[in-house]
Every structure is written in C-alpha cells, then in structure tokens.
Amino acid sequence: MALAATSAPGACAGGALFATPGRPFDREPPVITFATPAEAAYLRGTFEVFASAVDNLDGTPHRDLRHPALIDDDTDGHEVHDDVVSTALPDGPFAMEVRAVDDSGNAATATRTVTITTPPRASRSPARPPTAASTPAWSRLGWTVTEANPQGVTATLDGAPVSPGSQVANAGAHTLVVTATDRTGATATATRAFFIDNTPPVITTVVAPTGAVVRPPITITATATDNLMAQGSLGSALAVTGAPPPPAGTPGAPADGSRTLALTYATAADGPLAATFTIADRAGNAATPRTVNLTVDQTNPILTWSTASLTLVGGTYWTSAATVTLTGTATDSNLAGVSASWPGGSATATLAGASWTIAGVPAPSAGHAVAVRATDLAGNFIKQIRTVRSDVTPPVVDFTTTTVRDERRHRDVLDRNQRGLQRSDPRSQPQPRRPGRHPRRRR
C-alpha cells in the first residue's frame, strides 16, 4: 500500500516510523469482514461465501480463503467471493478461514463456522389395530424425523393438529400429514392415508353340490366380502382347511374387491368330507368361519326283485291278472328310493325298511318291459329289467259227442284180405266154437 504524503527522514507521521524513504512503519493488520454466510448458520444446497479486507494504510491487502474444499474464484480487489456446494460436504460443522496481509506484512485471519445439513426426512407409522375379538379397532399415531438440525415438526390428522401418541378410534378413512423443517427452512412432508376398520369380513356364500350325500367330482366355491373391500381391505385370499385335506384351490379377486376360492375334489373316499373357509381383512378382523359338511358315497345300492307272484316261461314273467304288484328289497346306507317304469307310465315304490312294494303295474297280454330302479342320495343307482305279460283268459275244457253202438248187434272184424275192419251182420259171423271141437288147420 502506498502512502501519498512524504516527510523528512526521522520524522514521524501518524505514530509510525518509516523504514525507508517514502514507506512508513505499519503495525496494524488488515480488518476482515464476512458478509455471508452468517455465523452459526445452517446451510444446505449451494451457498455463497463473501468476505472483504481493509487496511489502514494498504488499500488492497492480499487476502486468501483457506479451506481444502473452497477455491476463491474472485482474485481481483480486496474481496473473497465463492459459491459452495454443500452436497459435496458432510453434514455437520464447517469452518472457513480468510487471511489478509498488507504491504507491511501484517496478517489477519477471520473464521466463520456454519453447519451443513441436508433436508429432513419425515416418516409416519400409524400402528396397526389389534386383532379381532379385542377392543374396537384403533390406531396410535407416531412418526420419526431424520434431521441433524431440526427446526420443528407439525402434524395434522384429517386437517386438525395432532401430536405423537394420539389414538384414533373413529371408523373410516383418515389422512395423516407430517411436515418437518430444518434450520435452513427446508421442509419435508410425508402423507399416509389409512382406515380404521372394526367390521370383520363376511363369507357370504358357499356353493356346494345339492344334498348332503355326494359323489366325485365335488366342487365347492366360497365368496367373502367386506365393508371396505372397494378400498382393498381384503388383502389376502380365502383359506381352507378340512378332512380329508382339501386340494389346492383356485383363488379369485373380482373387480369389486371381494375374494373367492373354488375347490374341486376329483376323487374322495366314501365317508365324511368337511371343508372350513376363513379370511381376515387388513385390519386383522377375522370372518366367522363357514364349514361345509358332506358325505361321499360312490357305491351302488343292492336290489332284489321277487318273482313269487310271477311265472317264468322262456324269459317272460307271466301273470294271470291285468295288473301286478311287484315286491323286493333294496339296501344302501343312503337309499333315496325305488321306482318302476314301463312304456307309458311309472310308479314309486313304498318302502318299509329294506323292502319295497309297487302296486298296480300293468301287465298287457302282449307283454312289455318293466324296469325297477334303486337310487341312493348321491345319485348312484342299479336297475333290473324284466318282460311282464298277462293271460287273463282261463283254459276251456269241452267234450265231443260220439255215436254209441250196440255191441251185441255190430262188431268190427278184421278181414285178412282187406286188412281192415269191416262191419258185418252178426248172423253172418262165424259161430263160436263148441267145446271139444277144433277147426281143421288149413295147410
């Protein structure tokens, strides 16, 4: 720095001594002033560093910004001007030092310390309601904020301020919004929409084969609904257990949000079959289980047909009446009934234990086929077919009138020549031999 005034050797000016002619002694260092950033500021992103140095005698003292991560881009004049990208720096305290030296070699330093911080992260975690069969569904609100230098956190539930740990018991849809602010003024917002659901799902329908006694293949289909299924409350599929172990089912997810499950038993042993369906919604509410109980029967009945009132002739069963009563036995643990059919008609048997009776079955004189069928509740059956024919006209016995001859007057004699019988007058017949006389034998 040059001084404009001059003085005689040895003279003093302003209290400083001149070392050489035209150059005073200078003992005061420059003064450094930081314009930005402020001391202890919290910074993020890109921020500006601006400092200036002045000296009492040197108008433009040399200045230097000291930090490994910083480069002074402005080398003109007596100012330090730099843009700092904080994303390249770790979070935490960050110190910057500016050094200035005047022409006399007097040095000064100034330090500015700030805190580097990244935008806050807020997370929210409404607790899941307890499982069904406990208290009504509720949610305890909570959230966390990840920020080294937080300034504040605000939260609203459905637009109203709320604090951590608050409980929400009102059923229906809710929205929680949490906003966190750091010391730089940066904010982060997290939103969660959730439902309070204390209504369990309902297994509305279970479609199974008609009747309690069935035979394979057996298909059972269950459908479950929920009050919030349109919002996706039924996140899981229907489950099924039973004996015998159920086959792998085919789950369905219709557009309305309901759930279905179809089971097909391709084979099953005779005996009991049970399948129990269950489901729970996302809130943990469980539906009342629905159980299907069936009996598997794949065995045909045993049928007998009595022929006590019929006469078998050449494969046809004959009767002497225009109608006949059929009887027999049918045995099955799940017997449904016995019936008969014939051209133009049918009839159902009367059962008495294992015995069956069908009265009034027509038996035409020309005959026709009669089928007797025994069926069980599962649809298994056995059938016997016989031809039945009637003969309602009794036989007729008649006598033929003949001429009665007087054997004393007529005789039938054998004529040896004509080899036949000839009727002759008894007077012309040979007379009976008298005792003691024999006819002479003709030679």
Side-chain angles (χ1 to χ4, degrees):
M1 174 179 287
L3 185 63
T6 61
S7 177
C12 291
L17 298 177
F18 288 92
T20 58
R23 187 176 182 87
F25 285 99
D26 185 2
R27 298 177 181 177
E28 294 185 20
V31 176
I32 302 172
T33 302
F34 271 96
T36 59
E39 179 67 21
Y42 288 86
L43 304 174
R44 63 181 178 86
T46 300
F47 60 90
E48 181 184 44
V49 177
F50 185 80
S52 61
V54 296
D55 188 72
N56 60 330
L57 296 178
D58 188 355
T60 57
H62 177 72
R63 74 285 176 276
D64 184 22
L65 179 60
R66 296 185 176 183
H67 192 281
L70 302 179
I71 299 176
D72 184 9
D73 295 329
D74 186 1
T75 58
D76 299 330
H78 61 283
E79 298 175 345
V80 172
H81 192 189
D82 190 24
D83 291 329
V84 180
V85 180
S86 66
T87 55
L89 303 174
D91 284 5
F94 177 75
M96 298 166 289
E97 182 181 278
V98 175
R99 183 175 184 274
V101 181
D102 62 16
D103 290 342
S104 298
N106 300 304
T109 59
T111 301
R112 178 58 48 93
T113 301
V114 297
T115 300
I116 303 299
T117 181
T118 55
R121 296 190 304 272
S123 61
R124 60 283 180 269
S125 56
R128 172 171 287 191
T131 57
S134 63
T135 58
W138 55 271
S139 181
R140 186 183 299 278
L141 301 179
W143 54 85
T144 60
V145 176
T146 304
E147 170 55 47
N149 305 289
Q151 181 67 36
V153 179
T154 60
T156 60
L157 178 68
D158 303 329
V162 69
S163 58
S166 299
Q167 291 187 8
V168 184
N170 295 332
H174 300 279
T175 301
L176 174 65
V177 180
V178 179
T179 302
T181 306
D182 67 10
R183 292 182 181 273
T184 68
T187 61
T189 301
T191 302
R192 170 165 291 180
F194 63 98
F195 293 85
I196 297 297
D197 183 9
N198 54 15
T199 302
V202 177
I203 301 176
T204 54
T205 58
V206 176
V207 179
T210 302
V213 182
V214 296
R215 59 180 178 175
I218 304 165
T219 299
I220 306 173
T221 302
T223 302
T225 60
D226 190 65
N227 62 318
L228 296 175
M229 64 183 184
Q231 287 74 37
S233 62
L234 293 177
S236 61
L238 281 154
V240 61
T241 58
T250 302
D256 62 358
S258 61
R259 293 292 183 267
T260 63
L261 183 64
L263 303 177
T264 298
Y265 295 80
T267 61
D270 284 10
L273 182 148
T276 300
F277 295 87
T278 58
I279 193 172
D281 61 21
R282 293 182 184 272
N285 304 305
T288 300
R290 288 281 299 271
T291 300
V292 176
N293 291 299
L294 301 172
T295 299
V296 179
D297 182 359
Q298 305 174 83
T299 305
N300 295 334
I302 299 174
L303 175 67
T304 66
W305 181 352
S306 175
T307 59
S309 61
L310 302 172
T311 300
L312 178 61
V313 178
T316 299
Y317 290 84
W318 289 85
T319 178
S320 60
T323 61
V324 64
T325 297
L326 307 181
T327 60
T329 61
T331 55
D332 190 278
S333 57
N334 302 297
L335 184 66
V338 178
S339 63
S341 62
W342 55 88
S346 62
T348 301
T350 300
L351 299 177
S355 300
W356 58 268
T357 302
I358 303 176
V361 177
S365 59
H368 62 192
V370 177
V372 176
R373 173 173 171 150
T375 307
D376 63 18
L377 296 174
N380 304 300
F381 68 92
I382 186 172
K383 181 168 64 175
Q384 294 182 6
I385 301 176
R386 293 176 178 174
T387 300
V388 178
R389 186 175 181 180
S390 66
D391 183 355
V392 298
T393 303
V396 177
V397 179
D398 193 10
F399 293 94
T400 303
T401 302
T402 59
T403 302
V404 178
R405 296 182 178 84
D406 186 355
E407 294 181 353
R408 292 175 301 174
R409 298 181 58 186
H410 298 86
R411 289 184 181 177
D412 292 331
V413 295
L414 179 61
D415 186 336
R416 292 182 179 179
N417 294 326
Q418 297 180 357
R419 297 186 182 276
L421 293 176
Q422 290 183 350
R423 184 176 299 124
S424 60
D425 189 291
R427 290 177 297 179
S428 64
Q429 295 298 323
Q431 296 298 318
R433 291 180 300 168
R434 295 179 180 177
R437 296 185 66 178
H438 299 279
R440 180 177 296 179
R441 179 176 298 175
R442 182 180 298 177
R443 295 181 180 180

